[in-house]
Amino acid sequence: MKEFLYAYSFLSIGLGACFVLYTTECRKFLGNMLTGIDRRFVAPLPAIFGILLMLAASQARNAGFIRLLGLIGVAKAGFIFANPQGLYEQFNNWLLNSASDQTFRLFGIISLILEFCFLKIVSTN
């Protein structure tokens, strides 16, 4: 399971770097992906990653932080699937149409910082 934690870290670091460096292309790719797929098919992805993170957390030094990230992923999946008051579509509309490039870069920087910390937690055990 430690291999999953490393793969998750490197994938997230790559995505964060792409959000910072290739903002316009990432926005187009994300738009094509999110508008072309029904939300009920998108919801299992964060749930699967969240459950795998919670299962693999015991392989890291600070398991509580990784379990928290897994719990957030499962909660996100529940939010996407339940879609209270159409908030999922509103968020996607904001993200794809109204959010500035600086917002995408901020998300990328936050992802990079979190995942470098995540990688440090995983690698020290």
Side-chain angles (χ1 to χ4, degrees):
M1 290 304 278
K2 197 165 195 171
E3 293 80 15
F4 169 75
L5 294 175
Y6 280 119
Y8 179 80
S9 293
F10 290 127
L11 177 68
S12 295
I13 289 170
L15 289 174
C18 285
F19 269 31
V20 171
L21 297 173
Y22 306 108
T23 307
T24 306
E25 292 84 358
C26 285
R27 182 188 298 251
K28 288 178 185 175
F29 178 76
L30 199 59
N32 290 338
M33 189 175 74
L34 290 177
T35 56
I37 301 174
D38 186 22
R39 67 176 169 78
R40 291 172 289 193
F41 296 118
V42 174
L45 292 176
I48 291 168
F49 276 101
I51 291 169
L52 287 173
L53 280 173
M54 287 190 284
L55 292 174
S58 63
Q59 299 291 318
R61 180 176 52 123
N62 192 349
F65 176 69
I66 297 174
R67 284 191 182 105
L68 176 67
L69 290 177
L71 186 63
I72 290 170
V74 172
K76 179 181 177 180
F79 170 78
I80 292 172
F81 191 76
N83 193 21
Q85 299 175 355
L87 288 176
Y88 177 72
E89 283 83 12
Q90 290 176 14
F91 178 77
N92 281 345
N93 184 36
W94 169 78
L95 184 67
L96 299 174
N97 300 322
S98 302
S100 66
D101 286 349
Q102 287 81 8
T103 305
F104 269 83
R105 289 188 184 106
L106 177 66
F107 288 161
I109 290 169
I110 291 170
S111 173
L112 286 171
I113 291 169
L114 280 175
E115 293 310 320
F116 277 120
C117 293
F118 185 88
L119 190 58
K120 178 72 173 165
I121 290 170
V122 171
S123 65
T124 56
N125 189 11

mmCIF file of all heavy atoms in Angstrom, residues 9-55:
data_model
loop_
_atom_site.group_PDB
_atom_site.id
_atom_site.type_symbol
_atom_site.label_atom_id
_atom_site.label_comp_id
_atom_site.label_asym_id
_atom_site.label_seq_id
_atom_site.Cartn_x
_atom_site.Cartn_y
_atom_site.Cartn_z
ATOM 1 N N SER A 9 0.949 10.612 -4.437
ATOM 2 C CA SER A 9 1.735 11.835 -4.240
ATOM 3 C C SER A 9 2.262 12.366 -5.560
ATOM 4 O O SER A 9 2.128 13.557 -5.862
ATOM 5 C CB SER A 9 2.906 11.574 -3.301
ATOM 6 O OG SER A 9 2.462 11.287 -2.015
ATOM 7 N N PHE A 10 2.878 11.502 -6.349
ATOM 8 C CA PHE A 10 3.460 11.959 -7.603
ATOM 9 C C PHE A 10 2.397 12.398 -8.600
ATOM 10 O O PHE A 10 2.594 13.369 -9.344
ATOM 11 C CB PHE A 10 4.365 10.883 -8.199
ATOM 12 C CG PHE A 10 5.626 10.681 -7.404
ATOM 13 C CD1 PHE A 10 5.979 9.420 -6.974
ATOM 14 C CD2 PHE A 10 6.437 11.743 -7.069
ATOM 15 C CE1 PHE A 10 7.137 9.223 -6.236
ATOM 16 C CE2 PHE A 10 7.596 11.569 -6.335
ATOM 17 C CZ PHE A 10 7.947 10.298 -5.911
ATOM 18 N N LEU A 11 1.256 11.741 -8.617
ATOM 19 C CA LEU A 11 0.154 12.151 -9.482
ATOM 20 C C LEU A 11 -0.354 13.528 -9.083
ATOM 21 O O LEU A 11 -0.558 14.403 -9.937
ATOM 22 C CB LEU A 11 -0.982 11.127 -9.429
ATOM 23 C CG LEU A 11 -2.236 11.462 -10.224
ATOM 24 C CD1 LEU A 11 -1.946 11.418 -11.718
ATOM 25 C CD2 LEU A 11 -3.350 10.494 -9.875
ATOM 26 N N SER A 12 -0.544 13.746 -7.787
ATOM 27 C CA SER A 12 -1.036 15.041 -7.314
ATOM 28 C C SER A 12 -0.020 16.147 -7.548
ATOM 29 O O SER A 12 -0.400 17.278 -7.874
ATOM 30 C CB SER A 12 -1.388 14.960 -5.835
ATOM 31 O OG SER A 12 -2.463 14.089 -5.647
ATOM 32 N N ILE A 13 1.260 15.853 -7.370
ATOM 33 C CA ILE A 13 2.300 16.851 -7.643
ATOM 34 C C ILE A 13 2.298 17.200 -9.128
ATOM 35 O O ILE A 13 2.396 18.369 -9.509
ATOM 36 C CB ILE A 13 3.673 16.342 -7.175
ATOM 37 C CG1 ILE A 13 3.728 16.339 -5.642
ATOM 38 C CG2 ILE A 13 4.797 17.201 -7.748
ATOM 39 C CD1 ILE A 13 4.933 15.642 -5.056
ATOM 40 N N GLY A 14 2.159 16.205 -9.980
ATOM 41 C CA GLY A 14 2.092 16.463 -11.418
ATOM 42 C C GLY A 14 0.886 17.299 -11.801
ATOM 43 O O GLY A 14 0.993 18.229 -12.602
ATOM 44 N N LEU A 15 -0.258 16.983 -11.219
ATOM 45 C CA LEU A 15 -1.461 17.771 -11.519
ATOM 46 C C LEU A 15 -1.335 19.197 -11.011
ATOM 47 O O LEU A 15 -1.735 20.146 -11.690
ATOM 48 C CB LEU A 15 -2.692 17.096 -10.910
ATOM 49 C CG LEU A 15 -3.128 15.795 -11.580
ATOM 50 C CD1 LEU A 15 -4.263 15.150 -10.789
ATOM 51 C CD2 LEU A 15 -3.561 16.046 -13.003
ATOM 52 N N GLY A 16 -0.780 19.366 -9.822
ATOM 53 C CA GLY A 16 -0.573 20.709 -9.287
ATOM 54 C C GLY A 16 0.369 21.523 -10.161
ATOM 55 O O GLY A 16 0.123 22.702 -10.416
ATOM 56 N N ALA A 17 1.438 20.895 -10.622
ATOM 57 C CA ALA A 17 2.385 21.587 -11.500
ATOM 58 C C ALA A 17 1.721 21.972 -12.822
ATOM 59 O O ALA A 17 1.965 23.063 -13.349
ATOM 60 C CB ALA A 17 3.606 20.709 -11.749
ATOM 61 N N CYS A 18 0.896 21.101 -13.348
ATOM 62 C CA CYS A 18 0.174 21.420 -14.592
ATOM 63 C C CYS A 18 -0.780 22.587 -14.391
ATOM 64 O O CYS A 18 -0.899 23.446 -15.267
ATOM 65 C CB CYS A 18 -0.590 20.202 -15.095
ATOM 66 S SG CYS A 18 0.462 18.958 -15.856
ATOM 67 N N PHE A 19 -1.452 22.635 -13.232
ATOM 68 C CA PHE A 19 -2.358 23.756 -12.955
ATOM 69 C C PHE A 19 -1.590 25.067 -12.888
ATOM 70 O O PHE A 19 -2.105 26.108 -13.299
ATOM 71 C CB PHE A 19 -3.109 23.532 -11.651
ATOM 72 C CG PHE A 19 -4.416 22.819 -11.798
ATOM 73 C CD1 PHE A 19 -4.618 21.900 -12.798
ATOM 74 C CD2 PHE A 19 -5.452 23.062 -10.919
ATOM 75 C CE1 PHE A 19 -5.820 21.239 -12.935
ATOM 76 C CE2 PHE A 19 -6.659 22.411 -11.045
ATOM 77 C CZ PHE A 19 -6.847 21.510 -12.057
ATOM 78 N N VAL A 20 -0.368 25.034 -12.382
ATOM 79 C CA VAL A 20 0.427 26.255 -12.278
ATOM 80 C C VAL A 20 0.997 26.643 -13.642
ATOM 81 O O VAL A 20 0.937 27.804 -14.046
ATOM 82 C CB VAL A 20 1.561 26.086 -11.246
ATOM 83 C CG1 VAL A 20 2.520 27.263 -11.276
ATOM 84 C CG2 VAL A 20 0.989 25.922 -9.843
ATOM 85 N N LEU A 21 1.532 25.681 -14.377
ATOM 86 C CA LEU A 21 2.254 25.987 -15.611
ATOM 87 C C LEU A 21 1.365 26.062 -16.849
ATOM 88 O O LEU A 21 1.618 26.860 -17.749
ATOM 89 C CB LEU A 21 3.348 24.940 -15.841
ATOM 90 C CG LEU A 21 4.434 24.891 -14.762
ATOM 91 C CD1 LEU A 21 5.359 23.705 -15.005
ATOM 92 C CD2 LEU A 21 5.204 26.183 -14.716
ATOM 93 N N TYR A 22 0.354 25.211 -16.924
ATOM 94 C CA TYR A 22 -0.496 25.123 -18.119
ATOM 95 C C TYR A 22 -1.957 25.373 -17.747
ATOM 96 O O TYR A 22 -2.821 24.528 -17.938
ATOM 97 C CB TYR A 22 -0.339 23.746 -18.772
ATOM 98 C CG TYR A 22 1.085 23.401 -19.081
ATOM 99 C CD1 TYR A 22 1.768 22.438 -18.352
ATOM 100 C CD2 TYR A 22 1.753 24.052 -20.105
ATOM 101 C CE1 TYR A 22 3.091 22.128 -18.634
ATOM 102 C CE2 TYR A 22 3.076 23.756 -20.395
ATOM 103 C CZ TYR A 22 3.731 22.795 -19.662
ATOM 104 O OH TYR A 22 5.039 22.492 -19.937
ATOM 105 N N THR A 23 -2.223 26.544 -17.229
ATOM 106 C CA THR A 23 -3.529 26.861 -16.665
ATOM 107 C C THR A 23 -4.644 26.770 -17.704
ATOM 108 O O THR A 23 -5.674 26.135 -17.465
ATOM 109 C CB THR A 23 -3.498 28.274 -16.050
ATOM 110 O OG1 THR A 23 -2.394 28.347 -15.149
ATOM 111 C CG2 THR A 23 -4.780 28.577 -15.323
ATOM 112 N N THR A 24 -4.469 27.378 -18.842
ATOM 113 C CA THR A 24 -5.521 27.391 -19.864
ATOM 114 C C THR A 24 -5.816 25.991 -20.374
ATOM 115 O O THR A 24 -6.982 25.603 -20.508
ATOM 116 C CB THR A 24 -5.107 28.299 -21.036
ATOM 117 O OG1 THR A 24 -4.778 29.588 -20.523
ATOM 118 C CG2 THR A 24 -6.228 28.430 -22.045
ATOM 119 N N GLU A 25 -4.774 25.227 -20.633
ATOM 120 C CA GLU A 25 -4.964 23.864 -21.128
ATOM 121 C C GLU A 25 -5.648 22.986 -20.080
ATOM 122 O O GLU A 25 -6.504 22.160 -20.417
ATOM 123 C CB GLU A 25 -3.623 23.250 -21.537
ATOM 124 C CG GLU A 25 -2.987 23.894 -22.749
ATOM 125 C CD GLU A 25 -2.178 25.152 -22.416
ATOM 126 O OE1 GLU A 25 -2.144 25.549 -21.229
ATOM 127 O OE2 GLU A 25 -1.608 25.737 -23.340
ATOM 128 N N CYS A 26 -5.271 23.154 -18.820
ATOM 129 C CA CYS A 26 -5.909 22.378 -17.749
ATOM 130 C C CYS A 26 -7.374 22.732 -17.608
ATOM 131 O O CYS A 26 -8.210 21.869 -17.369
ATOM 132 C CB CYS A 26 -5.193 22.606 -16.416
ATOM 133 S SG CYS A 26 -3.622 21.758 -16.297
ATOM 134 N N ARG A 27 -7.693 24.011 -17.735
ATOM 135 C CA ARG A 27 -9.095 24.437 -17.646
ATOM 136 C C ARG A 27 -9.911 23.810 -18.780
ATOM 137 O O ARG A 27 -11.006 23.302 -18.561
ATOM 138 C CB ARG A 27 -9.194 25.953 -17.705
ATOM 139 C CG ARG A 27 -10.621 26.467 -17.562
ATOM 140 C CD ARG A 27 -10.719 27.951 -17.828
ATOM 141 N NE ARG A 27 -9.960 28.752 -16.901
ATOM 142 C CZ ARG A 27 -10.498 29.515 -15.973
ATOM 143 N NH1 ARG A 27 -11.797 29.587 -15.851
ATOM 144 N NH2 ARG A 27 -9.749 30.239 -15.179
ATOM 145 N N LYS A 28 -9.371 23.797 -19.996
ATOM 146 C CA LYS A 28 -10.080 23.187 -21.129
ATOM 147 C C LYS A 28 -10.243 21.686 -20.925
ATOM 148 O O LYS A 28 -11.321 21.137 -21.156
ATOM 149 C CB LYS A 28 -9.331 23.469 -22.430
ATOM 150 C CG LYS A 28 -9.426 24.889 -22.894
ATOM 151 C CD LYS A 28 -8.624 25.102 -24.164
ATOM 152 C CE LYS A 28 -8.610 26.556 -24.561
ATOM 153 N NZ LYS A 28 -7.742 26.820 -25.715
ATOM 154 N N PHE A 29 -9.167 21.018 -20.502
ATOM 155 C CA PHE A 29 -9.226 19.577 -20.271
ATOM 156 C C PHE A 29 -10.224 19.240 -19.176
ATOM 157 O O PHE A 29 -11.045 18.327 -19.307
ATOM 158 C CB PHE A 29 -7.834 19.039 -19.909
ATOM 159 C CG PHE A 29 -7.822 17.576 -19.603
ATOM 160 C CD1 PHE A 29 -7.901 16.647 -20.628
ATOM 161 C CD2 PHE A 29 -7.754 17.127 -18.300
ATOM 162 C CE1 PHE A 29 -7.904 15.292 -20.353
ATOM 163 C CE2 PHE A 29 -7.751 15.778 -18.010
ATOM 164 C CZ PHE A 29 -7.832 14.855 -19.041
ATOM 165 N N LEU A 30 -10.179 19.985 -18.077
ATOM 166 C CA LEU A 30 -11.108 19.770 -16.977
ATOM 167 C C LEU A 30 -12.545 20.033 -17.421
ATOM 168 O O LEU A 30 -13.465 19.301 -17.050
ATOM 169 C CB LEU A 30 -10.732 20.680 -15.811
ATOM 170 C CG LEU A 30 -11.251 20.357 -14.439
ATOM 171 C CD1 LEU A 30 -10.803 18.973 -14.005
ATOM 172 C CD2 LEU A 30 -10.768 21.393 -13.442
ATOM 173 N N GLY A 31 -12.737 21.062 -18.230
ATOM 174 C CA GLY A 31 -14.071 21.363 -18.744
ATOM 175 C C GLY A 31 -14.608 20.243 -19.611
ATOM 176 O O GLY A 31 -15.766 19.849 -19.491
ATOM 177 N N ASN A 32 -13.779 19.712 -20.484
ATOM 178 C CA ASN A 32 -14.200 18.594 -21.331
ATOM 179 C C ASN A 32 -14.526 17.367 -20.498
ATOM 180 O O ASN A 32 -15.479 16.645 -20.783
ATOM 181 C CB ASN A 32 -13.124 18.253 -22.357
ATOM 182 C CG ASN A 32 -12.980 19.315 -23.409
ATOM 183 O OD1 ASN A 32 -13.895 20.099 -23.654
ATOM 184 N ND2 ASN A 32 -11.822 19.382 -24.031
ATOM 185 N N MET A 33 -13.734 17.137 -19.458
ATOM 186 C CA MET A 33 -13.946 15.959 -18.632
ATOM 187 C C MET A 33 -15.200 16.096 -17.773
ATOM 188 O O MET A 33 -16.003 15.170 -17.682
ATOM 189 C CB MET A 33 -12.725 15.728 -17.740
ATOM 190 C CG MET A 33 -12.752 14.410 -17.009
ATOM 191 S SD MET A 33 -11.252 14.106 -16.097
ATOM 192 C CE MET A 33 -11.455 15.233 -14.742
ATOM 193 N N LEU A 34 -15.380 17.251 -17.138
ATOM 194 C CA LEU A 34 -16.506 17.409 -16.208
ATOM 195 C C LEU A 34 -17.845 17.596 -16.911
ATOM 196 O O LEU A 34 -18.874 17.176 -16.387
ATOM 197 C CB LEU A 34 -16.245 18.593 -15.269
ATOM 198 C CG LEU A 34 -15.137 18.391 -14.248
ATOM 199 C CD1 LEU A 34 -14.927 19.659 -13.438
ATOM 200 C CD2 LEU A 34 -15.433 17.214 -13.345
ATOM 201 N N THR A 35 -17.868 18.216 -18.079
ATOM 202 C CA THR A 35 -19.141 18.419 -18.768
ATOM 203 C C THR A 35 -19.554 17.204 -19.590
ATOM 204 O O THR A 35 -20.715 17.060 -19.914
ATOM 205 C CB THR A 35 -19.086 19.659 -19.682
ATOM 206 O OG1 THR A 35 -18.007 19.523 -20.605
ATOM 207 C CG2 THR A 35 -18.915 20.927 -18.860
ATOM 208 N N GLY A 36 -18.609 16.340 -19.912
ATOM 209 C CA GLY A 36 -18.917 15.187 -20.751
ATOM 210 C C GLY A 36 -19.350 13.954 -19.979
ATOM 211 O O GLY A 36 -19.796 12.982 -20.579
ATOM 212 N N ILE A 37 -19.221 13.983 -18.647
ATOM 213 C CA ILE A 37 -19.516 12.799 -17.841
ATOM 214 C C ILE A 37 -20.577 13.142 -16.808
ATOM 215 O O ILE A 37 -20.523 14.205 -16.173
ATOM 216 C CB ILE A 37 -18.238 12.297 -17.128
ATOM 217 C CG1 ILE A 37 -17.157 11.942 -18.138
ATOM 218 C CG2 ILE A 37 -18.538 11.098 -16.254
ATOM 219 C CD1 ILE A 37 -15.830 11.589 -17.517
ATOM 220 N N ASP A 38 -21.528 12.244 -16.621
ATOM 221 C CA ASP A 38 -22.553 12.424 -15.595
ATOM 222 C C ASP A 38 -21.912 12.382 -14.215
ATOM 223 O O ASP A 38 -20.994 11.601 -13.965
ATOM 224 C CB ASP A 38 -23.603 11.317 -15.736
ATOM 225 C CG ASP A 38 -24.777 11.515 -14.802
ATOM 226 O OD1 ASP A 38 -25.016 12.658 -14.359
ATOM 227 O OD2 ASP A 38 -25.468 10.519 -14.505
ATOM 228 N N ARG A 39 -22.389 13.215 -13.313
ATOM 229 C CA ARG A 39 -21.800 13.330 -11.976
ATOM 230 C C ARG A 39 -21.869 12.025 -11.197
ATOM 231 O O ARG A 39 -21.024 11.751 -10.350
ATOM 232 C CB ARG A 39 -22.453 14.447 -11.184
ATOM 233 C CG ARG A 39 -23.895 14.181 -10.845
ATOM 234 C CD ARG A 39 -24.501 15.272 -9.980
ATOM 235 N NE ARG A 39 -25.925 15.114 -9.885
ATOM 236 C CZ ARG A 39 -26.524 14.241 -9.112
ATOM 237 N NH1 ARG A 39 -25.820 13.456 -8.346
ATOM 238 N NH2 ARG A 39 -27.834 14.149 -9.097
ATOM 239 N N ARG A 40 -22.849 11.179 -11.471
ATOM 240 C CA ARG A 40 -22.953 9.900 -10.761
ATOM 241 C C ARG A 40 -21.841 8.935 -11.152
ATOM 242 O O ARG A 40 -21.541 8.000 -10.419
ATOM 243 C CB ARG A 40 -24.316 9.271 -11.009
ATOM 244 C CG ARG A 40 -25.436 10.078 -10.323
ATOM 245 C CD ARG A 40 -26.754 9.569 -10.715
ATOM 246 N NE ARG A 40 -26.937 9.950 -12.125
ATOM 247 C CZ ARG A 40 -28.062 9.890 -12.774
ATOM 248 N NH1 ARG A 40 -29.137 9.440 -12.176
ATOM 249 N NH2 ARG A 40 -28.140 10.254 -14.028
ATOM 250 N N PHE A 41 -21.217 9.176 -12.310
ATOM 251 C CA PHE A 41 -20.063 8.370 -12.707
ATOM 252 C C PHE A 41 -18.758 8.978 -12.203
ATOM 253 O O PHE A 41 -17.748 8.298 -12.132
ATOM 254 C CB PHE A 41 -20.012 8.199 -14.222
ATOM 255 C CG PHE A 41 -21.187 7.437 -14.766
ATOM 256 C CD1 PHE A 41 -22.069 8.025 -15.652
ATOM 257 C CD2 PHE A 41 -21.420 6.131 -14.378
ATOM 258 C CE1 PHE A 41 -23.155 7.326 -16.146
ATOM 259 C CE2 PHE A 41 -22.508 5.416 -14.870
ATOM 260 C CZ PHE A 41 -23.379 6.024 -15.754
ATOM 261 N N VAL A 42 -18.774 10.271 -11.879
ATOM 262 C CA VAL A 42 -17.596 10.944 -11.345
ATOM 263 C C VAL A 42 -17.456 10.670 -9.848
ATOM 264 O O VAL A 42 -16.346 10.563 -9.330
ATOM 265 C CB VAL A 42 -17.682 12.469 -11.611
ATOM 266 C CG1 VAL A 42 -16.558 13.216 -10.938
ATOM 267 C CG2 VAL A 42 -17.683 12.749 -13.100
ATOM 268 N N ALA A 43 -18.568 10.543 -9.148
ATOM 269 C CA ALA A 43 -18.574 10.410 -7.686
ATOM 270 C C ALA A 43 -17.760 9.227 -7.154
ATOM 271 O O ALA A 43 -17.094 9.380 -6.122
ATOM 272 C CB ALA A 43 -20.013 10.339 -7.175
ATOM 273 N N PRO A 44 -17.755 8.069 -7.786
ATOM 274 C CA PRO A 44 -16.966 6.964 -7.216
ATOM 275 C C PRO A 44 -15.450 7.197 -7.204
ATOM 276 O O PRO A 44 -14.752 6.615 -6.378
ATOM 277 C CB PRO A 44 -17.308 5.771 -8.112
ATOM 278 C CG PRO A 44 -18.621 6.098 -8.703
ATOM 279 C CD PRO A 44 -18.632 7.584 -8.863
ATOM 280 N N LEU A 45 -14.939 8.053 -8.076
ATOM 281 C CA LEU A 45 -13.486 8.262 -8.122
ATOM 282 C C LEU A 45 -12.930 8.814 -6.814
ATOM 283 O O LEU A 45 -11.990 8.230 -6.259
ATOM 284 C CB LEU A 45 -13.118 9.157 -9.302
ATOM 285 C CG LEU A 45 -13.338 8.543 -10.678
ATOM 286 C CD1 LEU A 45 -13.041 9.559 -11.769
ATOM 287 C CD2 LEU A 45 -12.470 7.326 -10.839
ATOM 288 N N PRO A 46 -13.452 9.921 -6.276
ATOM 289 C CA PRO A 46 -12.900 10.371 -4.990
ATOM 290 C C PRO A 46 -13.188 9.396 -3.856
ATOM 291 O O PRO A 46 -12.401 9.295 -2.910
ATOM 292 C CB PRO A 46 -13.562 11.733 -4.749
ATOM 293 C CG PRO A 46 -14.678 11.829 -5.690
ATOM 294 C CD PRO A 46 -14.407 10.889 -6.816
ATOM 295 N N ALA A 47 -14.282 8.652 -3.941
ATOM 296 C CA ALA A 47 -14.577 7.660 -2.906
ATOM 297 C C ALA A 47 -13.539 6.541 -2.924
ATOM 298 O O ALA A 47 -13.037 6.134 -1.862
ATOM 299 C CB ALA A 47 -15.985 7.086 -3.103
ATOM 300 N N ILE A 48 -13.192 6.069 -4.100
ATOM 301 C CA ILE A 48 -12.197 4.994 -4.214
ATOM 302 C C ILE A 48 -10.836 5.478 -3.713
ATOM 303 O O ILE A 48 -10.180 4.795 -2.921
ATOM 304 C CB ILE A 48 -12.114 4.485 -5.670
ATOM 305 C CG1 ILE A 48 -13.401 3.734 -6.032
ATOM 306 C CG2 ILE A 48 -10.889 3.615 -5.879
ATOM 307 C CD1 ILE A 48 -13.540 3.434 -7.508
ATOM 308 N N PHE A 49 -10.424 6.678 -4.160
ATOM 309 C CA PHE A 49 -9.150 7.212 -3.694
ATOM 310 C C PHE A 49 -9.172 7.454 -2.189
ATOM 311 O O PHE A 49 -8.184 7.200 -1.495
ATOM 312 C CB PHE A 49 -8.793 8.501 -4.440
ATOM 313 C CG PHE A 49 -8.112 8.263 -5.751
ATOM 314 C CD1 PHE A 49 -8.819 8.360 -6.936
ATOM 315 C CD2 PHE A 49 -6.776 7.937 -5.801
ATOM 316 C CE1 PHE A 49 -8.202 8.143 -8.149
ATOM 317 C CE2 PHE A 49 -6.139 7.715 -7.009
ATOM 318 C CZ PHE A 49 -6.849 7.819 -8.187
ATOM 319 N N GLY A 50 -10.290 7.947 -1.669
ATOM 320 C CA GLY A 50 -10.405 8.181 -0.231
ATOM 321 C C GLY A 50 -10.307 6.903 0.580
ATOM 322 O O GLY A 50 -9.603 6.845 1.595
ATOM 323 N N ILE A 51 -10.991 5.873 0.134
ATOM 324 C CA ILE A 51 -10.938 4.588 0.845
ATOM 325 C C ILE A 51 -9.531 4.001 0.776
ATOM 326 O O ILE A 51 -9.005 3.499 1.780
ATOM 327 C CB ILE A 51 -11.991 3.615 0.269
ATOM 328 C CG1 ILE A 51 -13.400 4.105 0.640
ATOM 329 C CG2 ILE A 51 -11.766 2.195 0.774
ATOM 330 C CD1 ILE A 51 -14.515 3.395 -0.087
ATOM 331 N N LEU A 52 -8.904 4.082 -0.385
ATOM 332 C CA LEU A 52 -7.533 3.582 -0.499
ATOM 333 C C LEU A 52 -6.562 4.376 0.380
ATOM 334 O O LEU A 52 -5.654 3.806 0.977
ATOM 335 C CB LEU A 52 -7.082 3.604 -1.956
ATOM 336 C CG LEU A 52 -7.694 2.537 -2.855
ATOM 337 C CD1 LEU A 52 -7.291 2.769 -4.309
ATOM 338 C CD2 LEU A 52 -7.281 1.150 -2.404
ATOM 339 N N LEU A 53 -6.763 5.685 0.475
ATOM 340 C CA LEU A 53 -5.924 6.477 1.360
ATOM 341 C C LEU A 53 -6.113 6.065 2.811
ATOM 342 O O LEU A 53 -5.137 5.941 3.561
ATOM 343 C CB LEU A 53 -6.240 7.970 1.210
ATOM 344 C CG LEU A 53 -5.623 8.687 0.026
ATOM 345 C CD1 LEU A 53 -6.172 10.096 -0.085
ATOM 346 C CD2 LEU A 53 -4.115 8.719 0.136
ATOM 347 N N MET A 54 -7.348 5.838 3.222
ATOM 348 C CA MET A 54 -7.602 5.431 4.609
ATOM 349 C C MET A 54 -6.993 4.054 4.890
ATOM 350 O O MET A 54 -6.478 3.819 5.977
ATOM 351 C CB MET A 54 -9.098 5.448 4.906
ATOM 352 C CG MET A 54 -9.648 6.861 5.023
ATOM 353 S SD MET A 54 -11.322 6.959 5.647
ATOM 354 C CE MET A 54 -12.264 6.465 4.232
ATOM 355 N N LEU A 55 -7.057 3.154 3.915
ATOM 356 C CA LEU A 55 -6.466 1.830 4.107
ATOM 357 C C LEU A 55 -4.943 1.880 4.135
ATOM 358 O O LEU A 55 -4.298 1.133 4.886
ATOM 359 C CB LEU A 55 -6.940 0.878 3.009
ATOM 360 C CG LEU A 55 -8.416 0.491 3.031
ATOM 361 C CD1 LEU A 55 -8.768 -0.329 1.795
ATOM 362 C CD2 LEU A 55 -8.746 -0.271 4.294
#
